[in-house]
């Protein structure tokens, strides 16, 4: 259910730059999931690469709708997004907190074609007018004595990875997205598992309404956003390695993002076979504690296994499989397992709302084909009831907002 899109804004100490993707240490900024209407169930999540290596990945403990960072640290760097109780995602925003003296003030949000965009090479917290070199995709494009570079009318050719340097140092690199289309995409994974043993096959695909042109797969690994990973709308990993672990998503030329999918390629002997995509309330879900046969290299779940949720033992199964006949929101959480061959990594299982709330767009599309008159009637009835109940016809937009005061 991906038609609810989001936006991110970011207000600085000065009003000259309305949003940015880089901050110096000890600066103040806040993040908030902003929803027109009720914001119930929406929570901020983040994927960070600056925690301990054993803990790198999705920060599942980071789970709140508002977050204030009074004195930013490098450990606050990462990809942030909002996620609803039903598994819907906002746009993802990449933030870098730099421990050095120089940052590039560039837009964190996608910019629109033909807009004027100014990039500033800042030293500490002041816009010192030092001569600066500006780079795009690793190549020097301009030197400015004012420390600022303006692109009067941006186009898709201006999209890329920017950084700058001056006499005080060099900034990190940040991606600038230029938007132009309004298609909608979702990311699918096959097989639908959140964990894989090494050398197994994984397939990812951007499922796009209308044309898939312009949609690319992106990923965020434990080492940060992988700017070099910029594949088309389909990607097959024939022999997965641990370095393939990470958060993957589809992104359009306009900066629209699909749902994010997190999966782990484990170098050990045991994995938990659990869904990578959200499961629906009422569905039956089976978790399997699998290990690899050292001789045949096949995987099996025929050993007695302990299953854990959020760090607590919940069940021991002699078959190595645990079935939840009808999942509910209370089953959502962080799962792992162990057997005589070892322990699996942890993976989050998301439980979405009823089927009708997810499949409504597809249902309406079907109705449009079968009976346009029936569709119009339904839409008018819905609008009429909303006006009666609320006195208006609300159009909710779900979003992530960043404020730097």
């Amino acid at each position: 259910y991906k038609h609810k899109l989001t936006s991110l804004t970011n207000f600085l100490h000065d009003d000259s730059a309305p949003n940015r993707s880089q901050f110096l240490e000890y600066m103040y900024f806040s993040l908030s999931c902003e929803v027109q209407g009720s914001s119930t169930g929406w929570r901020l999540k983040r994927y960070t690469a600056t925690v301990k290596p054993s803990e790198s990945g999705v920060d599942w403990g980071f789970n709140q709708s508002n977050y204030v960072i009074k004195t930013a640290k490098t450990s606050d760097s990462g990809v942030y997004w909002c996620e609803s109780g039903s598994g819907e995602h906002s746009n993802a925003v990449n933030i870098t907190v730099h421990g050095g003296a120089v940052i590039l003030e560039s837009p964190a949000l996608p910019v629109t074609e033909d807009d004027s965009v100014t990039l500033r090479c800042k030293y500490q917290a002041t816009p010192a007018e030092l001569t600066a070199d500006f780079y795009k995709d690793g190549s020097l494009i301009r030197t400015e004595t004012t420390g600022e570079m303006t692109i009067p009318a941006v186009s898709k050719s201006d999209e890329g990875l920017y950084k700058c340097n001056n006499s005080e140092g060099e900034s990190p690199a940040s991606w600038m997205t230029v938007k132009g289309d309004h298609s909608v995409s979702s990311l699918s994974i096959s097989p639908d598992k959140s964990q894989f043993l090494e050398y197994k096959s994984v397939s990812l695909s951007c499922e796009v309404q209308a044309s898939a042109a312009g949609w690319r797969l992106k990923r965020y690994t434990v080492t940060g956003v992988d700017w070099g990973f910029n594949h088309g709308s389909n990607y097959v990993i024939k022999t997965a390695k641990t370095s393939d672990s990470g958060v993957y998503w589809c992104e359009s030329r306009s900066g629209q993002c699909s749902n994010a999918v997190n999966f782990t390629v484990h170098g050990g002997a045991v994995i938990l076979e659990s869904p990578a995509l959200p499961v629906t309330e009422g569905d039956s879900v089976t978790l399997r504690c699998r290990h690899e046969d050292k001789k045949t290299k096949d995987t099996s779940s025929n050993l007695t296994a302990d299953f854990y949720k959020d760090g607590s033992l919940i069940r021991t199964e002699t078959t190595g499989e645990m079935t939840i006949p009808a999942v509910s929101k209370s089953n959502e959480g962080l799962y792992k397992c162990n057997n005589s061959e070892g322990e699996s990594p942890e993976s989050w299982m998301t439980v979405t709302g009823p089927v009708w709330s997810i499949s409504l767009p597809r249902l309406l599309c079907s109705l449009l084909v079968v009976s346009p008159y029936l569709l119009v009637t339904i839409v008018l009835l819905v609008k009429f009831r909303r006006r009666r109940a609320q006195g208006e016809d609300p159009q909710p937009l779900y979003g992530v907002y960043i404020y730097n005061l």
Side-chain angles (χ1 to χ4, degrees), residues 24-64:
L24 290 166
E25 282 192 300
Y26 312 115
M27 293 187 73
Y28 172 100
F29 65 94
S30 66
L31 302 100
S32 178
C33 297
E34 295 289 345
V35 184
Q36 290 185 15
S38 172
S39 60
T40 303
W42 283 86
R43 290 291 182 266
L44 272 161
K45 297 291 180 78
R46 74 173 171 192
Y47 193 91
T48 178
T50 54
V51 294
K52 296 178 182 179
S54 61
E55 301 172 353
S56 294
V58 173
D59 186 354
W60 299 116
F62 186 85
N63 190 20
Q64 47 199 311

Side-chain angles (χ1 to χ4, degrees), residues 6 8 79-82 90-94 108 249 251 255 257-258 260 400:
T6 63
L8 168 73
V79 169
Y80 293 78
W81 69 95
C82 290
S90 75
N91 57 307
V93 175
N94 183 38
W249 71 95
E251 191 170 309
C257 294
S258 71
V400 184

Side-chain angles (χ1 to χ4, degrees), residues 86-343:
S86 63
E88 293 174 288
H89 292 74
S90 75
N91 57 307
V93 175
N94 183 38
I95 298 295
T96 300
V97 179
H98 185 41
V102 177
I103 58 172
L104 174 67
E105 190 178 274
S106 62
L109 294 174
V111 295
T112 305
E113 283 185 300
D114 296 326
D115 280 358
S116 176
V117 175
T118 297
L119 308 182
R120 296 175 176 87
C121 199
K122 284 201 170 183
Y123 167 58
Q124 295 184 347
T126 59
E129 293 185 356
L130 300 175
T131 297
D133 297 325
F134 291 86
Y135 295 80
K136 176 178 178 285
D137 300 330
S139 299
L140 176 66
I141 54 173
R142 201 180 306 177
T143 299
E144 295 287 353
T145 57
T146 60
E148 298 185 357
M149 183 187 81
T150 298
I151 306 171
V154 293
S155 65
K156 287 303 295 180
S157 63
D158 294 309
E159 188 171 77
L161 194 61
Y162 289 82
K163 68 177 181 178
C164 71
N165 63 40
N166 57 30
S167 57
E168 298 298 326
E170 183 173 273
S171 77
S174 284
W175 186 270
M176 184 175 73
T177 298
V178 180
K179 63 182 179 180
D181 64 79
H182 303 280
S183 52
V184 180
S185 171
S186 62
L187 175 61
S188 64
I189 180 172
S190 180
D192 180 9
K193 298 194 299 183
S194 57
Q195 295 180 20
F196 297 87
L197 290 167
E198 283 191 299
Y199 312 117
K200 301 301 179 182
S201 176
V202 186
S203 178
L204 297 156
S205 179
C206 299
E207 298 179 351
V208 185
Q209 294 180 13
S211 172
W215 283 87
R216 313 287 290 180
L217 272 162
K218 300 289 183 71
R219 74 174 171 192
Y220 194 91
T221 70
V222 293
T223 57
V225 174
D226 188 353
W227 301 114
F229 183 86
N230 190 22
H231 287 261
S233 56
N234 296 281
Y235 181 57
V236 177
I237 306 171
K238 293 182 179 180
T239 53
K241 303 178 181 64
T242 56
S243 58
D244 292 311
S245 301
V247 171
Y248 291 73
W249 71 95
C250 301
E251 191 170 309
S252 74
R253 291 172 179 171
S254 66
Q256 291 176 290
C257 294
S258 71
N259 57 305
V261 172
N262 178 44
F263 69 83
T264 301
V265 180
H266 186 41
V270 177
I271 58 170
L272 174 67
E273 189 178 274
S274 62
L277 298 174
V279 295
T280 305
E281 282 187 299
D283 282 358
S284 175
V285 175
T286 298
L287 307 181
R288 298 176 176 87
C289 199
R290 290 191 174 273
H291 66 281
E292 185 176 62
D293 186 294
K294 295 178 181 178
K295 293 182 179 179
T296 65
K297 298 300 180 181
D298 293 331
T299 59
S300 174
S301 58
N302 58 1
L303 298 176
T304 298
D306 298 324
F307 292 87
Y308 295 80
K309 177 178 180 286
D310 301 328
S312 299
L313 177 66
I314 54 172
R315 201 180 304 177
T316 298
E317 295 287 352
T318 57
T319 60
E321 299 185 358
M322 182 187 82
T323 297
I324 306 172
V327 293
S328 65
K329 287 298 292 182
S330 64
N331 297 123
E332 188 171 76
L334 197 59
Y335 288 82
K336 68 176 180 179
C337 71
N338 62 42
N339 58 28
S340 58
E341 296 296 320
E343 184 173 271

